[in-house]
Amino acid sequence: MSAETSVPRPRESDVDISDSALFGGLLAEARYAFAFFDPDGRVQRVNDLFTDVVGVPAERLVGRVPVEALAADLSQLITHAVQGVVETDAPVTESRVRVRTPEGEHRHWSLSFSPIHDDAGELRAVALVGLDVTESRQTEEDLRRSEERYRSLVEAQSQLVWITSPTGTVVEDAPQWRAITGQGLEEYLAHGWLEVVHPEERRQTEEAWKEALRGRTMFEWNYRVRTRASGYRHFEVRAVPIIRHGRVVEWVGANTDVTPQREAEEMRGRLTDQLGAAALRTARLQGATAILAEALTVEQVVQVIIDVGRTALAADRSAVALLDPDRAALKLINGEGVPEAAGTSGEEIPLSHTSVLTMAVNSRRPVFAESPDSLRTQLLEAGGDEQVLANYLTNSDERAWVGLPLLAAGRALGALRFSFTRPQKISQEDGVFLEALAGQCALAVERATLFEREHKTAETLQRSLLPDRLPVVKGLELAQRFRSGSRHVQVGGDWYDAFVLQDGRVAAVVGDVMGKGVKAAAGMGRIRNAMRALALTNPPPAAVLTGLDRVFDATEEEEQVTTLAYMVVEPVTGEGTLALAGHPPPVLVSPQGTAMLCDAQPGTPLGWPTSRRQFRFVVPPGHTAVLYSDGLVENRKRGLDAGLAEICSVVTEAPPEVVRSPHMLLDFLVDRMLSGYEQDDDVTALAIHVPPATKSD
């Protein structure tokens, strides 16, 4: 966008251009901002629009240089432009400036500077003409953004865009297309995209394209295209006519490489045909996958593999070996060695000894031997001992063998060995099935190995972080229940603790650190240890939670969420205080079997800025207070409010003998609250029971 660089010269007429009234009217009514400067750069005259733009009245401008009256950036631009006109006696055009209006709006102006001469040709003044180009600038910006979005969309979709004339002639370069086809620019412009279409498809493609041109309809087609490497790839094309005022001005097309989809479709077709002949084995593979998904330990996975070999493959013998990369050997998990390997016995098979298992691992490919002759040939080519092999084949009843590598992300974990006492024809469908089975077994082995490693760490953490036993205190009975919500790792973020304070009172806490596994357990351990230290130093619940907030900020991640309920109770009397950090309220159970939720404010999780409060909470003799984690009352099918109402209802159904025993009460609550629901979280509960007073008391 631009403005004229000088005041337009009017056409010849009988009007005197020197008429001051006419000139003044021009300045006043024009949509342009005008300013005139003498050769020294001083303002001679301005119109009202100019003063509105710069925000300075005319009387403060006339007779002064711009730097004395205007903002620094604007005055600098004008001063340099005027100097340029004076020095070169030539116009200075297309200077852009952004000006803020009194209303706070930013407007964009295009400024042009032109020399004004007298009749003798002497430079008398420099004229500034300004045009508001805000709207046109916004239009440019919108257009630029639209082009960027279009280009980004095309690149994101990996499409090749091309443009032709209304008659279908290529008139514009398509570098992406030429990069794939290897066409030169002249060749592409001369013959276009049809030149590289597969000969078998070119005639039909050309006819369909001409039909679209004649009918001005969308062109949709697919064909093979010759690439730079002389191979062919499959493309889908869609082209549309761009119509303006009822006429086609150009065609815009986009080609999409669908070779991967075509190849995938062809592969799926082949696999469907192959697996169609082995439908029963496919069903068995699905069953094996489901069973493997339930197996947690390596031992369980191996047993599943043996069962699958016996049922799905009708194998007479199965062996599983896992790779020990440090020793460059396979460790046999089951079986009695690998008899075809020379010099091996027992549980370890060096990778240097040729066998069905080591061949599968070393080559990372299945080994199929349909007969003794086939096995002999393959093992001898791999460097096997001919004498040992001959002795084995003479004395063994095995007549066919399958070796499958266990691969996870290309990394060898071990191998499977299945053998048969009869020759076995391994069809293509059998090979697909066996490779799929090996893939599922490899995933199960990897998962089980990780499980055992983390499980061992988690168990160690659990033993160290949860109390071995609850304290025995006269005038108070404590009971706890913990049920893991994870089938894979036996520790999570739930925890409980109870200990005797220096003044004889008992501190009890139930907490919940978001997450599962070692990370959650480690966070739980830090909070538990900090809480003990704070409670033994300054036991009031509000003080302990305030201290935990500081610890949490210093040690835990910002997105970590941790809640807890902490109370201090006096044995015998049950007098106590309670504080909650975003945790469900305790339940107070009376000797008559009624339940009441504590109405203390739940507060916020640890680490959230808040003023911690504590509340009086009494457990009268004969009553029981139950602290618990949200896993007891909340799950995917039951909200928290419904769960809190349900736990109170469940308490009323408890028999009298259950209400009197904190241990029986917790068993009753956990069993009834989880009945009918799939447990998806840890469940932790801690009961504080104050025995009823007796005459001896």
Side-chain angles (χ1 to χ4, degrees), residues 101-115:
T101 67
E103 293 77 19
E105 179 185 5
H106 285 95
R107 307 292 294 179
H108 295 269
W109 285 80
S110 175
L111 306 182
S112 298
F113 299 83
S114 303

Side-chain angles (χ1 to χ4, degrees), residues 471 473-479 624 660-663 687-692:
V473 181
K474 184 178 180 181
L476 208 62
E477 292 183 32
L478 301 173
T624 304
R660 290 192 295 268
S661 168
H663 296 277
I688 302 97
H689 176 70
V690 178

Side-chain angles (χ1 to χ4, degrees), residues 270-427:
R270 289 195 296 270
L271 290 177
T272 300
D273 294 340
Q274 295 168 356
L275 294 176
L280 178 60
R281 287 185 176 176
T282 302
R284 287 173 176 170
L285 175 61
Q286 293 173 344
T289 301
I291 299 173
L292 286 168
E294 298 294 326
L296 296 181
T297 65
V298 173
E299 182 181 355
Q300 292 172 344
V301 171
V302 169
Q303 186 57 51
V304 171
I305 293 174
I306 294 173
D307 293 341
V308 169
R310 182 174 59 253
T311 58
L313 302 180
D316 296 293
R317 299 183 181 91
S318 303
V320 181
L322 298 183
L323 178 64
D324 183 349
D326 295 332
R327 298 176 59 84
L330 292 172
K331 182 180 180 182
L332 198 63
I333 305 302
N334 71 311
E336 299 178 354
V338 183
E340 74 270 20
T344 64
S345 61
E347 296 184 349
E348 190 171 284
I349 310 113
L351 293 179
S352 58
H353 288 66
T354 304
S355 70
V356 172
L357 286 170
T358 56
M359 284 176 61
V361 171
N362 290 331
S363 67
R364 286 170 168 73
R365 297 174 59 87
V367 176
F368 300 136
E370 300 175 343
S371 65
D373 289 341
S374 175
L375 179 68
R376 178 186 293 106
T377 300
Q378 294 186 58
L379 291 183
L380 290 178
E381 289 179 353
D385 187 294
E386 185 172 2
Q387 184 61 41
V388 172
L389 183 57
N391 183 63
Y392 158 66
L393 292 176
T394 300
N395 296 289
S396 174
D397 62 349
E398 296 179 338
R399 289 296 176 262
W401 299 262
V402 171
L404 301 172
L406 296 175
L407 304 176
R411 179 172 56 90
L413 303 178
L416 309 180
R417 179 186 187 273
F418 300 108
S419 60
F420 308 84
T421 57
R422 61 199 178 283
Q424 187 80 8
K425 178 65 177 177
I426 309 297
S427 65

